[in-house]
Amino acid sequence: MTEVSGARGGKPLVSLAIPVLNEQDNLDALYARLVELADRMADRCDLEFVFTDNHSEDATWARLGQLAAADTRVRAIRFSKNFGFQRSILANYMHARGDAIMQIDADLQDPPELLEQFFERWQAGYHVVYGVRKKRQEGPLLNAFRRAGYWAIDRMSDHSIPRDVGDFRLVDRRVVTALLKIRTPNPYLRGMIADLGFRQVGIEYERSARVAGDSKFGVARLIKLGLTAVFNHSTVPLRLASAAGIAMILLSVLGALYYIALRLLQPDLPRGLASIHILVLFGIGLQSLLLGIVGEYLLRVYLMLRGEPVAIVENALNFDTNEIRL
């Protein structure tokens, strides 16, 4: 059985935080690369591997049990249901013990070996080191869709969010401590971390193709995540609602003046209902849209007041009972 050296007073401990969902086909390849990475960096730091299983339906949890029994560096918690990708990452941050935490995906699209460069920047004084995707193994349409989404989120956000950046990053313990003080039912972590400040730097890399299995992020989930980013980190939609209301009032005043002038110039102008119907339907549609925008913000307030846990733990591997923080 491999033991964590854990010399907290000497070498720093770095936690590799890995959310998983039905990744049984990727775990062996991932673990082999993590062990090789740990051996290569043994003179600089100690590593632990913290997995959060979002209630996988395949043999992912069973395989994690085998790895944890053979290597105490492997620590894992299993949720009682699928609580979502962002909550899974946040739960990882809550349970990692490292002086720094690097989040990676289990599909090996983000190379864990980049930790060596991240570690150097962290040692140089940066608190957040994130990967910037300069190339993806995806179709041109999906790439264009992602780039447009990153651009829109950054432009609408109340603070700058790095573009072409996912959740592949290393964060200092102080950043995690500050992050966990924020209460939000629907976290968008890349935006939250960008908003915290600290010294942050990006490193470009080429994202690889998935080793095995299917991607859990289709277009629908990307859109949902993008909306979460906008509503969590931007007041622009609310201001647009106000601006749209003012614009409609002005248009109504101009329309009324135009109608009065037209009636004065052409008293025998035939009366018609088509324009009224169009205006009424347009007004109802606009009001519904604006109410929907306000509702999105009210929903987030309601969920925050309800105080749901980040996730519910069903089982844990290589954790003491008092270490479970959910």
Side-chain angles (χ1 to χ4, degrees):
M1 180 176 291
T2 306
E3 299 287 344
V4 178
S5 58
R8 301 289 292 213
K11 293 183 293 184
L13 175 65
V14 177
S15 302
L16 297 183
I18 312 157
V20 293
L21 175 64
N22 299 329
E23 297 287 1
Q24 63 177 13
D25 296 329
N26 288 314
L27 284 180
D28 287 341
L30 171 65
Y31 177 70
R33 287 173 65 171
L34 294 181
V35 170
E36 182 180 349
L37 177 64
D39 292 341
R40 192 162 61 246
M41 298 188 67
D43 59 331
R44 288 167 280 175
C45 63
D46 296 315
L47 300 185
E48 68 168 2
F49 317 130
V50 185
F51 292 85
T52 48
D53 180 13
N54 233 328
H55 205 76
S56 296
E57 297 177 349
D58 61 3
T60 295
W61 183 251
R63 183 56 185 146
L64 286 174
Q66 296 170 354
L67 294 174
D71 187 347
T72 58
R73 293 175 298 183
V74 176
R75 307 169 75 232
I77 54 177
R78 175 177 169 84
F79 298 156
S80 61
K81 65 176 185 178
N82 188 340
F83 283 90
F85 182 65
Q86 292 291 301
R87 286 193 182 190
S88 183
I89 300 173
L90 186 57
N92 255 326
Y93 286 154
M94 295 172 68
H95 291 87
R97 300 175 296 184
D99 302 294
I101 299 97
M102 186 176 83
Q103 193 273 322
I104 62 172
D105 294 341
D107 57 15
L108 292 172
Q109 288 186 281
D110 301 323
E113 293 80 10
L114 207 59
L115 173 61
E116 294 188 82
Q117 295 184 45
F118 285 12
F119 184 84
E120 289 178 1
R121 298 296 178 90
W122 177 58
Q123 292 280 279
Y126 287 98
H127 302 102
V128 179
V129 187
Y130 51 83
V132 180
R133 302 160 176 171
K134 65 178 181 179
K135 186 177 180 181
R136 292 172 176 267
Q137 300 297 325
E138 294 175 339
L141 289 178
L142 187 56
N143 265 326
F145 180 76
R146 285 183 184 270
R147 289 184 180 277
Y150 281 129
W151 178 86
I153 291 169
D154 182 39
R155 296 294 294 177
M156 295 182 68
S157 176
D158 295 334
H159 52 270
S160 179
I161 298 178
R163 301 181 191 180
D164 295 318
V165 173
D167 294 297
F168 180 42
R169 57 167 47 82
L170 180 142
V171 294
D172 185 84
R173 169 56 58 184
R174 284 174 289 179
V175 178
V176 174
T177 300
L179 180 67
L180 297 182
K181 292 179 181 178
I182 303 174
R183 292 179 56 219
T184 175
N186 295 302
Y188 180 69
L189 292 171
R190 62 195 76 169
M192 293 168 65
I193 292 173
D195 189 33
L196 288 175
F198 295 97
R199 295 188 64 196
Q200 305 196 18
V201 67
I203 294 178
E204 287 191 339
Y205 74 103
E206 293 188 6
R207 204 163 196 238
S208 305
R210 169 178 271 270
V211 173
D214 299 320
S215 174
K216 312 302 186 299
F217 267 86
V219 173
R221 289 193 63 184
L222 286 174
I223 293 174
K224 182 178 179 180
L225 184 62
L227 291 175
T228 298
V230 170
F231 288 122
N232 281 18
H233 297 277
S234 176
T235 57
V236 170
L238 285 175
R239 291 172 179 167
L240 283 177
S242 301
I246 294 172
M248 285 305 300
I249 292 174
L250 293 175
L251 284 175
S252 299
V253 171
L254 291 174
L257 293 174
Y258 173 77
Y259 179 76
I260 292 172
L262 201 61
R263 292 293 296 178
L264 291 174
L265 294 173
Q266 300 184 31
D268 58 343
L269 187 70
R271 298 178 180 180
L273 295 177
S275 58
I276 296 176
H277 289 162
I278 292 172
L279 289 174
V280 169
L281 290 174
F282 178 76
I284 293 173
L286 179 64
Q287 289 179 357
S288 299
L289 173 63
L290 301 185
L291 285 174
I293 291 174
V294 175
E296 287 288 341
Y297 286 93
L298 289 177
L299 173 62
R300 280 155 174 77
V301 174
Y302 164 70
L303 292 175
M304 187 178 297
L305 292 176
R306 196 164 70 176
E308 291 183 350
V310 174
I312 299 173
V313 175
E314 179 181 270
N315 206 344
L317 301 169
N318 288 335
F319 276 92
D320 294 331
T321 303
N322 58 3
E323 290 183 295
I324 303 298
R325 301 181 59 186
L326 297 175

